Structure formats: structure tokens, C-alpha cells
Amino acid sequence: MEITFLGTSAGLPTKERNTQAVALNLAPYSNHIWLFDVGEGTQHQILHHSIKLGKVDHIFLTHMHGDHIFGLPGILTSRSFQGGEGKPLTIVGPKGIKEFVETTLRLSASKLNYPITFIEIDNELSYQHHGFEVSAHLLNHGIASYGYRIEAPSTPGTIDVAALKEIGLEPGPKYQQVKTEETFEHNGHIYDSTQFKGPEKLGPTIAIFGDTKPCPNEKMIAHHADIMVHEGTYLEGDKTLANNYFHSHIDDVFHLVDLAQVKHTLVTHISNRYNIEEVDNLKEKLKEEYGRNDFNIVKDFDVVEF
Amino acid sequence: MEITFLGTSAGLPTKERNTQAVALNLAPYSNHIWLFDVGEGTQHQILHHSIKLGKVDHIFLTHMHGDHIFGLPGILTSRSFQGGEGKPLTIVGPKGIKEFVETTLRLSASKLNYPITFIEIDNELSYQHHGFEVSAHLLNHGIASYGYRIEAPSTPGTIDVAALKEIGLEPGPKYQQVKTEETFEHNGHIYDSTQFKGPEKLGPTIAIFGDTKPCPNEKMIAHHADIMVHEGTYLEGDKTLANNYFHSHIDDVFHLVDLAQVKHTLVTHISNRYNIEEVDNLKEKLKEEYGRNDFNIVKDFDVVEF
């Protein structure tokens, strides 16, 4: 899979960073793309990237602050002209996201050429699509803000051809049944498929957080995640101040990484007061200070494969 | 005065052009800036320009299509952090603009630190501010679209010092009265001020059009304008097709220029199918074909002083 950062700034865009948007490419499990948050100018960022809007079939919003949703009306109307025609879109987000989209489209007399399904989260979400399991839980940001946990499908174990030949089953269409079903029939016998293939391979787990100060639900969302995307609005300075503004300090992020045993963390939602060079310097300082190398502070257009 | 194009594309942004926004710098008559239309990403464009959001005290919207208004919520929230604190803003636009702003701000839990006054145009507008006369009239674009006519204040004529000295009035505070009032008193006599100064100098007239197919109101809006900003969505091809889509063909624009005796025309709202080079080539072709040099086809960040 692949995650692309289309915007990594907090609150306001800067010359170097746009407001929030993350694209999750579901390949090899699906040829679709899911967007998480759509700050103003996300469609502009996509112009400079190979992402096709027609491949985006889900947009997830973590919360309703402007730097996370003001690009949504533009993405939706442009999608009509950029490969989205006739391709359904699902928008998942906090209560109010339907009114936001419907009001902006109605007042701008915009007509889309594809249907939208809205899923408004009321406290928590459990959702399945393309074999992915998506759950969302409430964070602590002053307004409703959600963290999404995305579990990729498992891949069936490798067929044990030697063992199947031993029971007289030569390679053929029935091998697919062995691969995907619990049991299969051969010569009047019912066999347990798991005896004829290697162990199932779990797909990666991704946790994508909305803005939040530390809160108990975070551990559940991030538990053993392969990739975690978390805000780090305060990379230095006073932790109490960060939390008073319902945001996380980098120290909070590292605490969560250890608590939830997250494998790799991508820190985004960087304060607009820093330029890229300052952030790179801060990153090196943090690596040294905390003695860790299991994170990155991302920039716009950073791509992470996993 | 000075006009800056912050976005010159039609419908969708391109890599080279943003959606619509025009900044009118009112100096030397006022130190404020007026924006006309605010496509998505206008605040991003302003990051690359010296315009200060705190100096913008009026935003005029020509019509409600997304490529003209989707940048408004972002401009409004960013203005709070970029010099706008405590500085009132007036938003002028078609019916619905108040609901658009209020809904997007409410749903995004945005709190501004300055007051907004809304003026929703019902068919036509007559408005005075900073000594400017602004009028708006309805165009023909399928939805309500307006053309704005902005008349800068007149500058009082130059004082005729010799004539004033002749009646015994030496330079002093009373000269200001001669300059700005119709009459003045000196040694018991009431004088007609116009006899002691040169003719009043008319300020420039600017006409800024929303999207439209040709319609009768256009002539009135553009009459003898020094600068006209007009859409030219169709720079070539079939004129009937352009008009069927409620847009103007470049031929319509030139017809209006002649009809209203406009001095200089800036053609914007360029189809997103052209790149900059193609537009430059088309411009040269049009100059030759129509034998005229009283227009330009503008690009993002073009500045015109007048």
C-alpha cells in the first residue's frame, strides 16, 4: 500500500505546505484511493500528482474544522470532470458533513454526475469495504474529531501443492476453492483447507488521527498499527499549552507510539510558523533527544510505501 | 489604481491558473483593497503576493458558481490571523451568499474576530464607499450573475494661487475650503470656489463582469469604462455554442468594447483546456485577426496600473 501526503500544515496553508489531506492507495487490495481530510486546495495539489479523482471512491473526514474540509466542495465538483462520471462516492465524517456538502453544492448550483452516499458518524463507526475493516472512535478536540483505524484484508496462505498432490488433487480450478474457502470436497471426502496451505498473511493496519489532545481511545485506534498518521501541532514548547488548545505535543505522540506499540509514525499537521528547513532541523533534534528512529515528520507530497 | 489577477481560469484550476479572483487596490483614493470573486485557493495565491488580507475591507461576488466562491470560507477564517482582527468586512453578492458564509462558518466551528456586513443584491445595487460609486446590474448566465461598475472619486481641481492672491487671500487653511467646498467667504464676500481652481479630474471607471452571454445590461455597466474585466471563456470556436452555455465568445467581448467605448479590456476566465503558451499564441492571432491592440488576455499575477 501507499500513503501520500497532499497537505501537512496546521490551520493555515503556507507557501510550502497545504492544509490537511492524506491519500491512501489501496493497491494491491483494490485499485481505489481513499482520501482522509480535504483542506482547501487539495484539488490543486492533485494536479501536481498522478492521483486520479475518478479512482477516489471514499472520502473520510476526521473533523469539521476548515483546514480539513474547505477543499471538499471543489474536489466534488471537479471530480465530475476528472474521471468521476457515474462512479459512486461515499463520504464518511462527523455529523454536519452532509449539510456542509449539500448546502455548498445547492448554493453554488453545482450538479454532480455521480451519486454520493453519506455516512455520518455518531460516536463510533464500524464499516467494511473492498475487504477493508474501518473503525472510527471519538477523540478529544473540543469539537467531534475522529481517529480512523483501517485494517487491510488478509491474504490467503500459499497453496501446498505437494500435499494436495498426495491426496490426488492435481493443479486446477479446485485450487482456488482451497485458497479461499474453509473446506473443499475431493473424491467424496471433505477436507479442511487450512491443512493444505500456509498461514494467512495479515494485511497492514493503518491509523489516521484527527486533531486531538491525548485521550483514552487513541490506544485502541492505534493498537499495533503498522503505520500511524498523527498530528504534531506542537513539536516543541509547553505540553500543557498544546493540550489546552486540544492538540498534541510531540511528546504525547511518542507516548502513544509506545503505549500502542505502533511500528512507524508519520507526524503531520505541522504548525504554519515553521518552514521546511526548521522542521527538518527539529526532526533531527527530536531523533537525538528521544533516541528513536521510528517516525518521520512529513512534508507535502511525501509518499510512504508499506 | 491597480488591478491584480489572482486567478484567471474557468471552472477548474490548472497547474498554471487558479480559479477566479481579482484584487482592486483603491490607492491613491483609499488604502483598502477590494476583492472580486474568491475561487478556491485564493488565499494560497495571496501567500505569493504582497496583498495583506487586513487591507481587504470589501469582497464582491459576481455569482455563486464554485469557481468564484469556494475560496471564501478559507479567506474569511485566515483573515482573522492575517491582520484582519477587529477590522470590519463587507461582503456583497447575489442572494445566497450570506447563507453560504454563515453555514460554512457554523459547520466548521469557525469564529472570526471581526464583524461581517452582508449586502445581498436583489436585481441591482447602488452603493457608495470610500468615495467610490459602485453599481451592479444583472447579466445572463443561467443563475444570477452580476456586472459591477466602479467609479473612483473625482479629484478637486488645482488651486489657482495667483487668482486667490489677487482677491487678497494668501495661502493658508482657507485654501482647503476652496479646494473641497462650492463656496468660500473672504473679507465679507462669498466667492464661487470653481472660479479659483482648475477643472475637477474624474477618477477612473472600472467594469468587472461575472460570467455571462451577451445581454443588454452589459453596455450600461461598461459605458466609457477605463478598464473592463470580462470573461472570455471561448477564445475561438463556435459563438453559438459559447452563448448556449451562457458564456461569452471573444467576438462578443470585442463587440461590447466597441458598443460601450471601453478604453482597455482585460480578458479572464480562460478555458482550462489551454496552457499559457497556447493562450499567448491565440492572443497574437486575435490581435491580427481583429486588428486591435486595446485588450490583453491575462494570466495569474498580472498587474495592471491605471
Side-chain angles (χ1 to χ4, degrees):
Chain A
M1 295 179 73
E2 196 178 89
I3 200 163
T4 305
F5 290 85
L6 297 170
T8 59
S9 180
L12 306 172
T14 74
K15 282 185 190 178
E16 298 170 315
R17 294 179 184 271
N18 200 30
T19 48
Q20 292 293 297
V22 169
L24 185 65
N25 190 332
L26 305 189
Y29 305 100
S30 156
N31 64 349
H32 289 90
I33 290 168
W34 288 357
L35 290 183
F36 290 80
D37 289 338
V38 186
E40 181 182 352
T42 300
Q43 66 163 319
H44 301 64
Q45 297 288 85
I46 287 177
L47 288 176
H48 298 276
H49 197 275
S50 59
I51 290 172
K52 301 276 172 257
L53 275 180
K55 288 178 81 175
V56 174
D57 73 338
H58 282 69
I59 298 178
F60 297 85
L61 292 316
T62 62
H63 64 298
M64 296 285 290
H65 279 155
D67 56 328
H68 297 251
I69 67 165
F70 281 168
L72 193 50
I75 280 278
L76 298 182
T77 50
S78 291
R79 188 177 182 272
S80 279
F81 301 99
Q82 292 177 335
E85 188 170 356
K87 293 181 187 158
L89 178 74
T90 300
I91 298 178
V92 184
K95 277 195 249 182
I97 195 65
K98 186 166 186 263
E99 184 186 354
F100 178 79
V101 170
E102 289 186 344
T103 304
T104 53
L105 295 183
R106 171 177 53 81
L107 290 172
S108 62
S110 306
K111 288 183 187 64
L112 306 183
N113 54 21
Y114 56 85
I116 297 183
T117 303
F118 290 94
I119 299 175
E120 291 199 332
I121 310 175
D122 183 9
N123 199 41
E124 60 181 43
L125 169 82
S126 173
Y127 179 71
Q128 294 79 33
H129 203 90
H130 300 316
F132 284 75
E133 293 277 339
V134 182
S135 57
H137 294 276
L138 208 49
L139 304 170
N140 190 348
H141 188 50
I143 66 166
S145 180
Y146 290 95
Y148 290 95
R149 178 180 175 87
I150 305 108
E151 297 176 23
S154 298
T155 313
T158 314
I159 294 288
D160 185 345
V161 179
L164 286 167
K165 279 184 173 171
E166 225 165 79
I167 60 162
L169 186 60
E170 292 296 318
K174 196 159 271 181
Y175 273 42
Q176 187 57 25
Q177 197 183 335
V178 179
K179 198 165 187 178
T180 57
E181 294 182 20
E182 286 186 10
T183 59
F184 67 96
E185 182 276 336
H186 177 58
N187 283 346
H189 288 280
I190 303 291
Y191 291 94
D192 176 359
S193 300
T194 58
Q195 302 302 313
F196 297 90
K197 57 188 177 186
E200 210 177 51
K201 199 188 157 206
L202 285 175
T205 294
I206 308 105
I208 300 180
F209 282 84
D211 296 2
T212 190
K213 63 191 258 186
C215 70
N217 277 348
E218 288 205 282
K219 185 185 169 188
M220 177 170 53
I221 297 162
H223 184 66
H224 285 191
D226 296 279
I227 294 287
M228 175 169 89
V229 176
H230 202 287
E231 67 129 307
T233 318
Y234 289 77
L235 293 178
E236 55 186 347
D238 185 23
K239 194 158 123 169
T240 313
L241 185 74
N243 298 165
N244 284 349
Y245 284 114
F246 294 96
H247 278 294
S248 294
H249 189 279
I250 189 71
D251 192 67
D252 298 319
V253 180
F254 291 146
H255 182 71
L256 175 61
V257 168
D258 294 338
L259 194 69
Q261 296 181 51
V262 171
K263 291 201 187 67
H264 196 71
T265 298
L266 304 167
V267 180
T268 182
H269 205 267
I270 308 306
S271 169
N272 56 68
R273 70 175 169 272
Y274 301 121
N275 66 28
I276 295 279
E277 201 188 335
E278 286 165 337
V279 172
D280 280 345
N281 291 341
L282 267 173
K283 180 170 71 183
E284 292 312 314
K285 201 179 138 204
L286 289 168
K287 279 186 175 178
E288 205 169 307
E289 191 179 324
Y290 284 86
R292 60 195 316 156
N293 207 17
D294 57 352
F295 74 100
N296 191 14
I297 302 178
V298 290
K299 305 180 185 72
D300 285 21
F301 298 113
D302 272 2
V303 178
V304 178
E305 287 181 57
F306 55 94
Chain B
M1 295 179 73
E2 196 178 270
I3 199 163
T4 304
F5 290 85
L6 297 170
T8 60
S9 180
L12 305 172
T14 74
K15 282 184 190 178
E16 297 169 317
R17 293 180 185 271
N18 200 31
T19 48
Q20 291 294 298
V22 168
L24 184 65
N25 190 332
L26 304 189
Y29 305 100
S30 157
N31 63 350
H32 289 91
I33 291 169
W34 288 356
L35 289 183
F36 291 80
D37 289 338
V38 186
E40 181 182 352
T42 301
Q43 67 163 319
H44 300 64
Q45 297 289 84
I46 288 176
L47 288 175
H48 298 276
H49 197 275
S50 59
I51 290 172
K52 301 276 172 256
L53 275 181
K55 288 179 80 175
V56 174
D57 73 338
H58 282 69
I59 298 179
F60 297 85
L61 292 314
T62 62
H63 64 297
M64 295 286 289
H65 278 156
D67 55 328
H68 297 250
I69 67 165
F70 282 167
L72 193 50
I75 280 277
L76 298 181
T77 49
S78 291
R79 189 177 181 272
S80 278
F81 301 98
Q82 292 177 336
E85 188 170 357
K87 294 182 186 158
L89 178 74
T90 300
I91 298 178
V92 184
K95 276 195 249 181
I97 196 65
K98 185 166 187 263
E99 185 186 354
F100 178 80
V101 170
E102 290 186 343
T103 304
T104 52
L105 295 184
R106 171 176 52 81
L107 289 172
S108 62
S110 305
K111 288 183 186 64
L112 306 183
N113 54 21
Y114 56 85
I116 297 183
T117 303
F118 290 94
I119 299 176
E120 290 200 334
I121 311 175
D122 184 9
N123 198 42
E124 60 180 43
L125 169 83
S126 173
Y127 179 72
Q128 294 78 34
H129 203 92
H130 299 316
F132 284 76
E133 293 278 339
V134 182
S135 58
H137 294 277
L138 209 48
L139 304 170
N140 189 349
H141 188 49
I143 66 166
S145 180
Y146 291 95
Y148 290 95
R149 178 181 175 86
I150 306 108
E151 297 176 21
S154 298
T155 314
T158 315
I159 294 288
D160 184 344
V161 178
L164 286 167
K165 279 183 172 168
E166 225 165 78
I167 60 163
L169 186 60
E170 293 296 319
K174 198 160 270 183
Y175 272 43
Q176 186 58 24
Q177 197 182 335
V178 179
K179 197 164 187 178
T180 57
E181 295 182 18
E182 285 185 10
T183 59
F184 67 96
E185 181 275 336
H186 175 60
N187 283 346
H189 288 280
I190 303 290
Y191 291 94
D192 176 359
S193 301
T194 58
Q195 303 301 313
F196 298 90
K197 57 187 178 188
E200 208 178 52
K201 199 188 158 208
L202 285 176
T205 294
I206 307 105
I208 300 180
F209 282 86
D211 296 2
T212 190
K213 64 191 258 184
C215 69
N217 276 348
E218 289 205 281
K219 185 186 169 188
M220 176 171 52
I221 297 161
H223 184 67
H224 285 191
D226 296 279
I227 295 286
M228 175 169 88
V229 177
H230 202 286
E231 67 131 306
T233 319
Y234 289 76
L235 294 178
E236 55 185 350
D238 185 24
K239 194 158 122 168
T240 313
L241 185 74
N243 298 166
N244 284 350
Y245 283 115
F246 294 96
H247 278 294
S248 294
H249 189 279
I250 189 72
D251 192 68
D252 299 319
V253 180
F254 291 147
H255 182 72
L256 175 61
V257 168
D258 294 338
L259 194 71
Q261 296 181 52
V262 171
K263 292 201 186 69
H264 195 72
T265 297
L266 304 167
V267 181
T268 181
H269 205 266
I270 308 306
S271 169
N272 55 68
R273 68 175 169 271
Y274 301 122
N275 66 30
I276 295 279
E277 200 188 335
E278 286 164 339
V279 172
D280 280 344
N281 292 340
L282 267 172
K283 181 171 71 182
E284 292 312 314
K285 200 180 137 202
L286 289 167
K287 280 186 173 175
E288 205 168 307
E289 190 179 324
Y290 285 85
R292 60 196 314 156
N293 207 18
D294 57 352
F295 74 101
N296 191 14
I297 303 178
V298 290
K299 305 180 185 73
D300 286 21
F301 298 113
D302 272 1
V303 179
V304 178
E305 288 180 57
F306 55 95

